[in-house]
Amino acid sequence: MTVETHCPYCALQCGMTLAGAEVKPREFPTNRGGLCQKGWTSGALLSSPARLTTPLLHGKPVTWDTALDFVAERIERIQRQHGRDGMAILGGGGLTNEKSYALGKFARVALRTSQIDYNGRFCMSSAAAAGNRAFGVDRGMPFPVTDLDDADVVLLIGANPAETMPPFMQHLKAGLIVVDPRRTATAERAMLHLKPSPGTDLALALGILHSVFVDGHADKQYMNDRTTGFDEAWRIAAAWWPERVERVTGVSATDQRTVARLLANARNAYILTARGTEQHATGTDTVNAWINLALSLGLPGKRGSGYGCLTGQGNGQGGREHGQKTDQLPGYRKIDDPAAREYVAGVWGVSPDSLPGPGRSAYELLDALGRPHGPQGLLVFGSNPVVSAPRSAHVAERLADLDLLVVADFVPNETTALADVVLPVTQWAEEEGTLTNLEGRILHRRPALRPPDGVRTDLEVLQELAIRLGQPAERFPTDAETVFAELGRASKGGVADYSGITYDRLRAGEALHWPVPSADHAGTPRLFLDSFGHPDGKARFIPVDHKGPAEDVDADFPLRATTGRVLAHYQSGAQTRLIKELTDAVPESYVEVHPDTAARSGLEHGDLAKVTSRRGEVQARVRIVASMRPDVVFLPFHFPGDNNANRLTNPALDPSSRMPEFKVCAVRLEGTT
Ligand SMILES: Nc1nc2c(c(=O)[nH]1)N[C@H]1C(S)=C(S)[C@@H](COP(=O)(O)OP(=O)(O)OC[C@H]3O[C@@H](n4cnc5c(=O)[nH]c(N)nc54)[C@H](O)[C@@H]3O)O[C@H]1N2
Ligand SMILES: Nc1nc2c(c(=O)[nH]1)N[C@H]1C(S)=C(S)[C@@H](COP(=O)(O)OP(=O)(O)OC[C@H]3O[C@@H](n4cnc5c(=O)[nH]c(N)nc54)[C@H](O)[C@@H]3O)O[C@H]1N2
Ligand code: SF4
Ligand SMILES: [Mo]
């Protein structure tokens, strides 16, 4: 039997076919029959000997009842002593829509805690906040990926899809301009590569906006008809003439003017951002600066042009719509909006007053764990924060201080290693659910294999815990289709309205992009063609100014470190480090260094280096890369322990999105002896 499904990893959600655990690529608009190395090897984890198949209590195998009884009893004790907010939940953007929804409901109804957030806070949150400010709606790409095929210029900022979404490169055919401090595999394929210092994108965007306006490229008709707020934004951009921007960013004034001209002269132009521009303490303002540029050129909301953000995780888009984000209820509703509370409480059959308000964002939550006024218990579904959170050694200490750490996962990782209770769950190919891909299209994940004996689904785990906490079983159904139908009702009338989507429509292969407000609605592949999401229908220029990185270089920490991804590994590496072909490809961490910088530290290619920041130190193998900026080093974040780049990173948070500054911190580089 072969089953048509989608890759378990990133938001491109490439189409694939499974025959048993054997993966074959499948024609789908986002991947056109392509898969990356991770997708090809994704079947290997289904039968991996490393798989968790029995619950663990303090490291020892126990029955499900023993484990679940222990968890429920501890939860009740913690909440008796510390109140409802004594318990917390960390979710993930890899969870299906059904799981994300059930997890948010479990937090608000079964635990009645405000303390829930998810790893998407570390991922997409700055672009989401910026999109909401500018457009009144956050859908990463407000158009189908295939629209990019007709572009003659694409400005790609802080994104390396040649490694992070290889099949996506098929959609970037002509006129690629890349903004990245490193000469990445993506930059290699660009007609123009701008190499700013990490954390200076905002200045660069202001410089290009300045050129657009001064050189007469602005689309004044569009600005007049479809936007507000340009004058305030321009007051700031007026002071950022390209020569001044060149001194801050290292990008020449000529290149800035060239980009302005290329974008303005293009018939079909797009501006796309990803984590390089977003994962900063000024990430939201930075994205708004790029959106301001797009608005000055009249790109958003027109067929054949636009602004978009490349969502990262498999369900990074859906994961932020159904209520696992601390400030949200399903349908992308605000948890502090009385009408939203009343509506969702009605769907859940509880009183609106019983719903908690917003709690802490992911890093603030992790930082508060085990402290006198913070949560004393944490349930983790779909994240490995010991590796992926900023200032990770501190986060590991906070986790170790808890009275109760419970992790549901299908493989052991650095966070399960600290857990009191580990609950073994099913994997993608063994369960049903939906995911919303990077273009806001809802996809059906079909069950293809029988799960191994002993594991349960996340939905079953939530139901079992809810029952033990005194909830009626029917309130937490375990059948994904039933959960989806309820999610649809809960989202009805919200920004991300799924109420017109059914499993039958998805099974029939309909291409449904949200909002889909009724059963006879064909979905919304292109948002904003007629109007933007704000009440006046207009997009907003946001006045933003350049601040630069939260921490400066000095004599002790003279280099800027940035972090990111390599093709062979996924995220914290919990899954991909278990796959031989992938660990053979990239077995350990490394640091990319300019030859002069390495020489100054007495290091050669292949040496083991020590990289130190104000938060900690790591070891990494030196890779001499001639195209690196001499003031910048790069480390992948996929590795644990002494190799873990997040021991270095700065948890300075963006004031709107609460995104940590993963993409720049001050370090020094030394030999290890
Ligand atoms: N192989 C692989 N693919 C993945 C993932 C994975 O872990 N591995 N994860 C998925 C997920 S969740 C995500 S979020 C996406 C992320 O996808 P991307 O955003 O493409 O990945 P990153 O490597 O995090 O960052 C992209 C680039 O930002 C650059 N950069 C660093 N600092 C700056 C800066 O200040 N300004 C600019 N303009 N650029 C900067 C880095 O050099 C890097 O090349 O990938 C998805 N796909
Ligand atoms: N320095 C640095 N740090 C970063 C980043 C960076 O660029 N630089 N990027 C950040 C970004 S964009 C992201 S998205 C985060 C991601 O980082 P993490 O949140 O750590 O993500 P994963 O490694 O994907 O962890 C997912 C875990 O959940 C499990 N899992 C997967 N699916 C399911 C499921 O359905 N149910 C359950 N119960 N478990 C599941 C996997 O086996 C794995 O152990 O890292 C962030 N950290
Ligand atoms: S690009 Fe993303 S979705 Fe496609 S095969 Fe690779 S990891 Fe999977
Ligand atoms: Mo991400």
Side-chain angles (χ1 to χ4, degrees):
M1 186 185 70
T2 60
V3 176
E4 294 195 345
T5 186
H6 295 269
C7 174
Y9 297 118
C10 86
L12 197 60
Q13 284 297 292
C14 296
M16 52 167 64
T17 312
L18 274 176
E22 195 194 331
V23 168
K24 293 233 170 67
R26 175 168 69 89
E27 190 63 29
F28 191 72
T30 59
N31 65 306
R32 296 221 174 92
L35 289 180
C36 79
Q37 200 181 10
K38 295 184 302 303
W40 274 109
T41 54
S42 57
L45 210 57
L46 292 162
S47 54
S48 166
R51 209 130 167 214
L52 295 164
T53 52
T54 172
L56 302 173
L57 175 60
H58 299 132
K60 306 234 165 25
V62 292
T63 64
W64 272 97
D65 276 338
T66 306
L68 293 166
D69 289 347
F70 177 89
V71 173
E73 184 266 320
R74 277 291 176 93
I75 290 174
E76 284 179 334
R77 197 206 302 170
I78 288 171
Q79 290 196 315
R80 248 191 334 270
Q81 288 174 355
H82 302 276
R84 294 280 181 186
D85 284 355
M87 278 307 301
I89 292 184
L90 184 69
L95 303 178
T96 58
N97 290 317
E98 292 78 0
K99 296 179 191 187
S100 308
Y101 171 79
L103 199 60
K105 180 178 176 184
F106 180 85
R108 275 59 173 245
V109 173
L111 296 179
R112 289 180 57 190
T113 179
S114 69
Q115 303 294 300
I116 174 170
D117 209 45
Y118 81 124
N119 71 2
R121 187 71 68 176
F122 297 160
C123 180
M124 288 284 316
S125 59
S126 292
N132 280 324
R133 291 207 298 205
F135 306 125
V137 176
D138 152 40
R139 202 182 86 190
M141 275 195 178
F143 46 80
V145 164
T146 41
D147 279 10
L148 295 168
D149 298 351
D150 299 323
D152 35 33
V153 176
V154 176
L155 174 62
L156 188 62
I157 309 138
N160 183 17
E163 296 208 57
T164 55
M165 295 185 180
F168 177 80
M169 294 302 287
Q170 299 170 81
H171 303 286
L172 304 177
K173 287 184 186 131
L176 181 61
I177 307 170
V178 169
V179 179
D180 195 306
R182 300 186 300 142
R183 189 157 182 85
T184 57
T186 311
E188 288 288 346
R189 291 166 65 170
M191 67 170 176
L192 182 61
H193 173 206
L194 313 187
K195 233 160 68 169
S197 175
T200 64
D201 286 39
L202 209 163
L204 182 59
L206 289 168
I208 302 174
L209 176 64
H210 186 104
S211 305
V212 164
F213 208 68
V214 168
D215 299 344
H217 300 310
D219 185 340
K220 291 191 175 148
Q221 185 70 49
Y222 170 98
M223 283 166 56
N224 194 45
D225 295 348
R226 300 210 57 189
T227 74
T228 60
F230 177 71
D231 291 346
E232 294 78 44
W234 175 249
R235 250 191 295 268
I236 299 167
W240 285 97
W241 53 95
E243 285 72 15
R244 181 181 173 207
V245 170
E246 176 172 339
R247 286 196 294 278
V248 172
T249 61
V251 174
S252 75
T254 311
D255 279 352
Q256 295 170 53
R257 295 196 172 98
T258 305
V259 173
R261 181 172 42 79
L262 288 170
L263 285 168
N265 291 346
R267 213 168 7 90
N268 296 114
Y270 289 85
I271 298 182
L272 303 175
T273 63
R275 302 307 86 74
T277 205
E278 299 160 11
Q279 288 174 324
H280 294 276
T282 56
T284 307
D285 282 358
T286 305
V287 176
N288 276 122
W290 291 115
I291 295 176
N292 286 349
L293 174 65
L295 291 173
S296 76
L297 293 158
L299 308 183
K302 271 206 287 203
R303 219 176 231 281
S305 66
Y307 162 79
C309 146
L310 298 175
T311 297
Q313 298 182 86
N315 197 30
Q317 179 70 49
R320 64 185 193 265
E321 297 164 359
H322 309 300
Q324 57 174 337
K325 207 169 174 183
T326 200
D327 48 354
Q328 280 177 12
L329 289 173
Y332 222 132
R333 291 181 160 92
K334 300 294 288 175
I335 202 167
D336 52 11
D337 167 6
R341 293 170 66 85
E342 180 155 349
Y343 179 76
V344 174
V347 175
W348 288 348
V350 300
S351 127
D353 301 334
S354 71
L355 299 179
R360 294 177 172 93
S361 74
Y363 180 75
E364 292 165 292
L365 179 62
L366 293 167
D367 182 43
L369 296 176
R371 295 192 197 266
H373 298 291
Q376 307 300 319
L378 177 71
L379 312 181
V380 179
F381 286 80
S383 183
N384 184 14
V386 171
V387 175
S388 58
R391 196 186 170 200
S392 54
H394 170 72
V395 167
E397 275 171 29
R398 294 290 92 236
L399 290 166
D401 247 11
L402 288 168
D403 288 344
L404 177 68
L405 175 61
V406 181
V407 182
D409 210 308
F410 38 77
V411 287
N413 65 29
E414 292 67 25
T415 306
T416 62
L418 298 179
D420 298 289
V421 179
V422 178
L423 303 172
V425 293
T426 47
Q427 284 189 52
W428 58 292
E430 300 155 355
E431 53 185 31
E432 190 164 26
T434 61
L435 294 94
T436 305
N437 77 357
L438 78 172
E439 44 181 19
R441 174 170 172 179
I442 292 83
L443 306 174
H444 184 217
R445 181 184 269 183
R446 292 173 172 80
L449 290 171
R450 252 183 49 127
D453 289 341
V455 307
R456 297 195 181 173
T457 67
D458 290 293
L459 293 176
E460 286 167 345
V461 170
L462 290 173
Q463 184 190 56
E464 289 286 343
L465 286 175
I467 292 170
R468 284 170 172 76
L469 296 169
Q471 293 290 317
E474 327 69 84
R475 195 173 266 165
F476 290 91
T478 58
D479 168 57
E481 188 166 356
T482 309
V483 177
F484 188 79
E486 184 184 311
L487 177 167
R489 286 197 300 283
S491 75
K492 191 171 179 56
V495 173
D497 190 329
Y498 284 45
S499 62
I501 310 172
T502 59
Y503 269 36
D504 283 340
R505 291 185 76 180
L506 295 173
R507 284 191 190 107
E510 276 192 69
L512 296 169
H513 301 71
W514 67 254
V516 190
S518 62
D520 57 3
H521 191 284
T524 316
R526 292 174 192 84
L527 282 169
F528 311 146
L529 289 181
D530 302 322
S531 79
F532 294 99
H534 291 302
D536 62 2
K538 298 200 174 182
R540 295 181 186 160
F541 280 91
I542 306 294
V544 289
D545 204 350
H546 177 68
K547 287 199 197 71
E551 119 176 316
D552 243 325
V553 291
D554 62 15
D556 289 334
F557 302 100
L559 299 168
R560 294 202 188 285
T562 189
T563 61
R565 293 161 166 82
V566 300
L567 172 60
H569 286 290
Y570 192 65
Q571 317 277 56
S572 72
Q575 291 158 269
T576 49
R577 282 186 276 116
L578 292 171
I579 295 174
K580 183 171 182 307
E581 192 175 326
L582 302 178
T583 42
D584 284 352
V586 185
E588 57 176 358
S589 189
Y590 59 85
V591 55
E592 292 183 358
V593 192
H594 185 273
D596 297 347
T597 311
R600 257 201 308 282
S601 303
L603 289 164
E604 288 178 18
H605 193 81
D607 284 353
L608 201 56
K610 182 167 91 174
V611 188
T612 311
S613 81
R614 293 183 178 93
R615 279 130 328 256
E617 61 177 59
V618 302
Q619 302 205 332
R621 195 69 61 187
V622 173
R623 282 195 189 176
I624 306 268
V625 178
S627 59
M628 284 297 283
R629 290 175 58 113
D631 55 352
V632 173
V633 298
F634 169 84
L635 299 100
F637 80 101
H638 311 292
F639 300 92
D642 290 342
N643 265 192
N644 180 359
N646 274 320
R647 289 194 178 170
L648 305 173
T649 48
N650 184 2
L653 300 182
D654 180 282
S656 321
S657 66
R658 319 307 283 169
M659 165 72 84
E661 187 140 280
F662 286 118
K663 285 291 191 266
V664 55
C665 68
V667 299
R668 71 168 167 269
L669 181 73
E670 298 159 290
T672 43
T673 43

